[in-house]
Amino acid sequence: MKCLVCPRNATGNYYGAHTCEGCKGFFRRMLESGTEYNCNFGGKCEVTIRAACKACRFRQCLSVGMRKRRIPGASQTTRKESSRFPSPGFSVDSATQTQTLIVVGDCVVPSSAISSGSLESISGSETPTPLTDFMSRYLFLQSANSRQKVETFNAVQNAVDLVYGRQLSQWQTCMDRALIYGLVQTQPETTLENIVEAYREHNRESVTLTYQFAGMLPGASELDPSERSQLKAWWKWMAFWIIHRAPFLMEHESYITIGSQQYHYCHYWTSRMSDTTLTAMRDEFCANFRSIGLTQIETYILLAVIIFEPGTDADHESLRKSKDHSLHALHRHYTDLLFDVLKRRCADRSELSRTCRNLEKFFSELKRLYGLYCMYIPVLDSVKPQPADQIFDGNYIPFVLDAIHNKRDNRNLKRIHRSTHELCFAIDCSNRYKTDTI
DNA sequence: ACGTATTTTATGACCTCG
DNA sequence: CCGAGGTCATAAAATACG
């Protein structure tokens, strides 16, 4: 196997990546010395043997996922890691790590629980008395149900790795560089127009990834076309957008990179592109979501629940009324799975109910945020969700690019801005998202 | 300025230990 | 057996010197 940093052969997995002895030693020395090197050639040097530019070699180390496991005296690091995906039990600490679940009796348990010898406590040792027919059938159904959940759990994990693994690790690198190593992402000179274009590109890609993820969820491909179209509801994508990014959108700074240029979409650009109220609300929302303390896999199961939420679109009124179509069944299945996983992770009932309460609170915030985004995403013209007049009742939508080019009369823009702003707070999304299913 | 010797620094193969 | 961290010979770079 090749070293992920330089052209040599890898000799093992060091600091979280397959590298050679040289790159391992180099990374260790860089951490020890704490010296920060700058590249004099634009940060794009090829990492060759021995003579490589230190700045670029270190950047490459970070980008392939090399991390110091424990920084002496830096408790912040551990806190940050654990706040992202706190995971007692179902530990999934990187975007690409996979935790398999298996069925024991009627329970779904992480495979690690078996190897660590806690099997007895989960399954109970033996069942000496013969079962009645009814009980056998009952247990069979229950175990089939568990098996299905395990399959779904693993499929969700697989979908996360495949669809989002790369993106998550890029963002994690961006965040680690800043928070752990105090390195600011080198940013090429750019303009607001470039950032807006990158943001659009990023969102187009994001739509694709969302539906790619949705398509990989067990059950999705078997839906009939009208049901499948409901997976693409615009508000679902919005919820997906924010939840998927929540670990990286902090109050003090954002750590996501966008577009083919991988621009750091930092607070500065956010403030140039949208209202500070929106950013503040977004960041507060993300902080609240992080405080729920869902693990990574729980987060994406939650997203699956959202994806399969039966629609409320007027076009699908008849579908919505029938309670037995597949979308409802799938929604139920994923909700069950989420509950199962939560139940098994939470230490006691109070932790479980706290998590559920927080989830409920999160849904009501989501509605509020949805109102805001209804205004801004069409403004940025990054996706074409529904015709704007359906959301804004015929009001003119201010386009940011128009504002940049001063194509519109500024006074008019301000007026419209204010009116849409007020309007978005008034949008009642309560019929769009039901919390009673969770 | 140039060539050579010496010193300093960075590297990576190998080692130890948990 | 694996990987984090230590050791040390040595390659490479920096500096001194004639």
Side-chain angles (χ1 to χ4, degrees):
Chain A
M1 190 172 190
K2 284 272 171 219
C3 169
L4 293 171
V5 179
C6 75
R8 281 190 207 82
N9 286 327
T11 56
N13 189 332
Y14 305 119
Y15 302 96
H18 284 278
T19 68
C20 62
E21 278 291 329
C23 292
K24 171 192 134 187
F26 170 80
F27 188 73
R28 174 161 44 84
R29 280 191 299 274
M30 289 298 284
L31 294 179
E32 274 167 9
S33 73
T35 321
E36 194 180 319
Y37 292 90
N38 291 315
C39 175
N40 296 322
F41 307 97
K44 293 198 169 77
C45 307
E46 195 185 338
V47 181
T48 52
I49 293 176
R50 196 135 191 154
C53 152
K54 286 198 192 67
C56 291
R57 192 179 185 184
F58 188 54
R59 181 178 42 75
Q60 179 68 6
C61 287
L62 291 174
S63 77
V64 300
M66 291 179 88
R67 298 287 178 275
K68 187 167 175 71
R69 294 282 152 87
R70 260 196 334 267
I71 296 173
S75 54
Q76 217 185 353
T77 309
T78 359
R79 230 187 3 254
K80 191 188 74 58
E81 285 292 338
S82 63
S83 73
R84 185 184 164 210
F85 297 126
S87 45
F90 286 65
S91 166
V92 185
D93 65 2
S94 96
T96 48
Q97 248 172 345
T98 306
Q99 168 73 64
T100 317
L101 285 188
I102 57 170
V103 176
V104 177
D106 64 336
C107 294
V108 184
V109 296
S111 52
S112 57
I114 303 305
S115 54
S116 64
S118 54
L119 179 59
E120 289 76 11
S121 63
I122 295 163
S123 67
S125 44
E126 67 243 38
T127 46
T129 33
L131 295 165
T132 62
D133 246 22
F134 173 79
M135 278 310 285
S136 316
R137 260 179 302 155
Y138 174 74
L139 286 179
F140 171 76
L141 286 173
Q142 218 174 21
S143 120
N145 182 22
S146 295
R147 256 168 239 281
Q148 186 51 56
K149 280 183 194 154
V150 172
E151 227 172 79
T152 307
F153 180 98
N154 291 333
V156 174
Q157 180 72 68
N158 191 31
V160 173
D161 291 346
L162 252 111
V163 179
Y164 290 114
R166 207 179 117 93
Q167 195 174 54
L168 286 171
S169 90
Q170 274 169 349
W171 293 350
Q172 189 66 45
T173 302
C174 175
M175 191 157 82
D176 287 351
R177 281 177 62 89
L179 297 181
I180 304 181
Y181 306 105
L183 302 174
V184 179
Q185 168 121 351
T186 42
Q187 186 97 267
E189 287 281 319
T190 190
T191 59
L192 183 56
E193 271 110 326
N194 286 346
I195 293 288
V196 171
E197 192 39 58
Y199 187 74
R200 287 175 162 174
E201 185 191 336
H202 174 69
N203 282 338
R204 277 194 296 273
E205 189 199 3
S206 154
V207 172
T208 314
L209 292 184
T210 304
Y211 299 133
Q212 204 177 324
F213 176 81
M216 285 179 76
L217 296 172
S221 59
E222 291 146 44
L223 291 171
D224 67 51
S226 69
E227 287 177 316
R228 214 168 323 146
S229 73
Q230 292 189 57
L231 304 187
K232 298 194 173 188
W234 133 251
W235 67 269
K236 291 182 179 179
W237 173 75
M238 194 286 290
F240 216 106
W241 194 98
I242 195 91
I243 294 168
H244 171 53
R245 286 157 186 76
F248 308 98
L249 302 179
M250 311 296 203
E251 291 93 327
H252 58 278
E253 187 51 287
S254 313
Y255 300 102
I256 62 171
T257 49
I258 60 170
S260 49
Q261 298 292 314
Q262 288 290 294
Y263 291 123
H264 178 198
Y265 187 56
C266 53
H267 270 192
Y268 170 74
W269 288 122
T270 315
S271 72
R272 293 289 303 277
M273 281 169 61
S274 60
D275 196 302
T276 47
T277 323
L278 177 80
T279 314
M281 282 189 72
R282 183 199 75 180
D283 294 341
E284 191 195 338
F285 174 85
C286 290
N288 288 338
F289 182 73
R290 287 194 298 273
S291 74
I292 301 175
L294 294 187
T295 63
Q296 188 191 46
I297 186 69
E298 286 162 7
T299 302
Y300 287 89
I301 296 173
L302 171 70
L303 287 170
V305 172
I306 291 176
I307 286 284
F308 288 116
E309 165 81 18
T312 55
D313 202 337
D315 295 346
H316 302 291
E317 195 57 31
S318 54
L319 263 178
R320 195 165 63 85
K321 277 180 183 160
S322 81
K323 285 285 169 207
D324 55 356
H325 69 87
S326 335
L327 208 53
H328 276 100
L330 282 171
H331 184 242
R332 167 113 276 165
H333 171 61
Y334 282 88
T335 310
D336 274 358
L337 175 63
L338 179 62
F339 250 132
D340 245 39
V341 175
L342 281 175
K343 229 161 39 188
R344 253 161 255 283
R345 175 175 59 82
C346 292
D348 50 44
R349 266 202 96 74
S350 73
E351 193 187 339
L352 179 65
S353 68
R354 198 171 50 247
T355 308
C356 292
R357 261 203 316 278
N358 287 339
L359 269 174
E360 211 166 308
K361 216 174 97 197
F362 146 78
F363 279 119
S364 63
E365 279 174 34
L366 188 65
K367 289 176 214 161
R368 214 151 63 100
L369 203 72
Y370 172 62
L372 273 177
Y373 270 76
C374 276
M375 179 176 93
Y376 270 97
I377 301 300
V379 162
L380 291 172
D381 192 27
S382 49
V383 282
K384 297 263 192 286
Q386 350 173 339
D389 53 3
Q390 276 183 21
I391 305 171
F392 293 107
D393 200 23
N395 273 334
Y396 167 70
I397 307 294
F399 286 92
V400 166
L401 278 183
D402 286 350
I404 294 165
H405 296 308
N406 271 327
K407 277 186 187 161
R408 306 276 171 181
D409 156 23
N410 254 348
R411 213 179 37 191
N412 189 31
L413 196 69
K414 264 185 201 155
R415 187 184 59 74
I416 292 152
H417 219 266
R418 206 172 41 244
S419 70
T420 47
H421 208 165
E422 282 159 11
L423 185 76
C424 71
F425 276 102
I427 293 175
D428 176 20
C429 300
S430 55
N431 63 336
R432 290 178 188 271
Y433 212 90
K434 298 227 175 339
T435 59
D436 58 3
T437 46
I438 289 282

